[in-house]
């Protein structure tokens, strides 16, 4: 690509990126109102959402842009060889390596389906988000090496890894509740954060992306954090109500998402 062509691409992206960023905040508002109806997958699966696909395949398809689109866009950024953007890239990928390449093969998904419409929505969302995060950290953002010692980065990394650990641990507890792949029953999860909230896995993921928003100190990171929160807070409330209706002996002291508060 010649210099003139690069300038044209840069000019076009100068319009695309702000438009996409505003689009993310519009999506946050739409998600906030849309999640009043619980997404029809997992324990909340129901008819009327069109054709479905395997849950395992759906997870891989809808999470894959966060790995592959992210990497493609990142490596076209002017700062893609710099230290801090590279660190941020690997942290972001760490979450999605688990979500896209590990978690789908841990779940007992035999006989379970997800509406294709839901898969397509999350896939498109991840394309938008991957573009925004990668383009910001590798091109528009400015991160000197000293950023790695900044309070925002240090606190953000701590929250990110704490949230990631909680998320993976909670997933493991939930997955262990079923004896084998043919077991379709539900049980009350116990231990550690499950004694305080119904959805520590969601709490962990929200913590991760709040940490990401701090690490990047960007509107792109903030938009993603708000989107995740808009998705998971209402879903945690729905999960909590489901547990209360499903089990007469469900611990009354548990909250939905935040210990002692919500």
């Amino acid at each position: 690509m010649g210099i003139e062509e690069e300038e044209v691409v840069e000019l076009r992206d100068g319009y695309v990126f702000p438009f996409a960023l505003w689009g993310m905040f519009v999506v946050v508002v739409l998600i906030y109102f849309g999640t009043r109806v619980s997404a029809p997958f997992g324990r909340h699966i129901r008819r009327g959402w069109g054709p479905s696909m395997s849950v395992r395949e759906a997870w891989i398809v809808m999470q894959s842009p966060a790995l592959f689109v992210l990497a493609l866009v990142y490596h076209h950024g002017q700062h893609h060889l710099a230290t801090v953007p590279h660190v941020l890239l690997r942290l972001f990928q760490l979450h999605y390596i688990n979500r896209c390449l590990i978690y789908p093969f841990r779940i007992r998904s035999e006989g379970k389906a997800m509406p294709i419409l839901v898969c397509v929505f999350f896939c498109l969302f991840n394309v938008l988000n991957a573009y925004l995060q990668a383009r910001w950290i590798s091109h528009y953002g400015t991160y000197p090496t000293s950023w790695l010692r900044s309070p925002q980065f240090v606190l953000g990394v701590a929250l990110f890894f704490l949230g990631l650990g909680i998320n993976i641990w909670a997933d493991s507890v939930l997955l262990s509740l079923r004896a084998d792949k043919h077991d379709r029953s539900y049980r009350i999860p116990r231990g550690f954060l499950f004694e305080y909230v119904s959805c520590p896995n969601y709490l962990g993921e929200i913590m991760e992306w709040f940490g990401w928003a701090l690490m990047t100190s960007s509107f792109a990171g903030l938009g993603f954090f708000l989107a995740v929160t808009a998705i998971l807070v209402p879903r945690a409330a729905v999960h909590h109500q489901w547990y209360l209706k499903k089990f007469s002996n469900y611990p009354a002291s548990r909250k939905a998402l935040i210990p002692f508060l919500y």
Side-chain angles (χ1 to χ4, degrees):
M1 184 182 293
I3 295 177
E4 291 185 0
E5 291 179 87
E6 290 181 358
E7 290 176 348
V8 170
V9 171
E10 180 69 25
L11 181 63
R12 288 176 179 171
D13 191 70
Y15 290 104
V16 172
F17 183 83
F19 181 79
L21 185 57
W22 278 109
M24 172 62 86
F25 286 95
V26 171
V27 168
V28 170
V29 175
L30 294 176
I31 288 172
Y32 174 76
F33 289 104
T35 47
R36 294 183 179 185
V37 177
S38 60
F41 63 92
R43 69 196 64 183
H44 307 293
I45 189 72
R46 56 190 180 275
R47 295 180 180 179
W49 287 77
S52 299
M53 62 190 296
S54 159
V55 167
R56 178 173 289 123
E57 292 174 357
W59 269 103
I60 294 171
V61 169
M62 68 186 185
Q63 302 291 348
S64 59
L67 281 179
F68 304 114
V69 173
L70 181 90
L72 179 64
V73 174
Y74 175 88
H75 287 288
H76 282 84
Q78 62 178 335
H79 306 305
H80 74 277
L81 294 177
T83 300
V84 178
H86 189 78
V87 170
L88 292 170
L89 170 71
R90 297 310 179 199
L91 288 172
F92 194 92
Q93 288 179 322
L94 185 62
H95 173 88
Y96 282 101
I97 286 173
N98 175 59
R99 270 286 169 254
C100 180
L101 303 179
I102 299 174
Y103 178 76
F105 296 97
R106 297 181 66 202
I107 58 177
R108 296 184 172 97
S109 62
E110 288 75 8
K112 292 186 176 181
M114 179 184 295
I116 293 175
L117 185 63
V118 173
C119 178
V120 169
F121 168 79
F122 281 109
C123 186
L124 292 175
F125 171 80
N126 279 323
V127 169
L128 170 65
N129 187 54
Y131 165 75
L132 286 173
Q133 306 309 320
R135 197 64 177 154
W136 175 261
I137 64 175
S138 74
H139 194 77
Y140 291 111
T142 301
Y143 298 104
T145 305
S146 59
W147 185 258
L148 297 175
R149 300 187 297 275
S150 67
Q152 306 97 300
F153 185 84
V154 173
L155 179 58
V157 166
L159 285 171
F160 182 88
F161 278 105
L162 179 59
L164 179 64
I166 290 172
N167 184 255
I168 293 174
W169 166 81
D171 282 345
S172 298
V173 171
L174 293 172
L175 291 171
S176 70
L177 294 178
R178 290 183 172 169
D180 55 53
K181 65 180 182 180
H182 303 294
D183 188 354
R184 294 288 181 270
S185 60
Y186 286 94
R187 298 175 178 83
I188 299 175
R190 305 279 186 182
F192 189 34
L193 284 174
F194 275 112
E195 300 303 323
Y196 302 97
V197 296
S198 295
C199 302
N201 48 334
Y202 293 167
L203 174 61
E205 188 153 354
I206 290 171
M207 289 173 62
E208 281 184 75
W209 301 123
F210 180 57
W212 174 261
L214 286 176
M215 279 189 280
T216 61
S217 294
S218 65
F219 283 111
L222 175 63
F224 183 34
F225 163 68
L226 292 177
V228 169
T229 302
I231 292 170
L232 296 184
V233 170
R235 193 160 178 85
V238 171
H239 267 26
H240 185 64
Q241 291 303 315
W242 182 90
Y243 275 122
L244 290 172
K245 291 178 181 178
K246 179 74 173 178
F247 301 102
S248 60
N249 62 333
Y250 195 72
S253 61
R254 285 191 196 181
K255 300 296 185 180
L257 185 68
I258 304 173
F260 312 112
L261 296 177
Y262 175 79

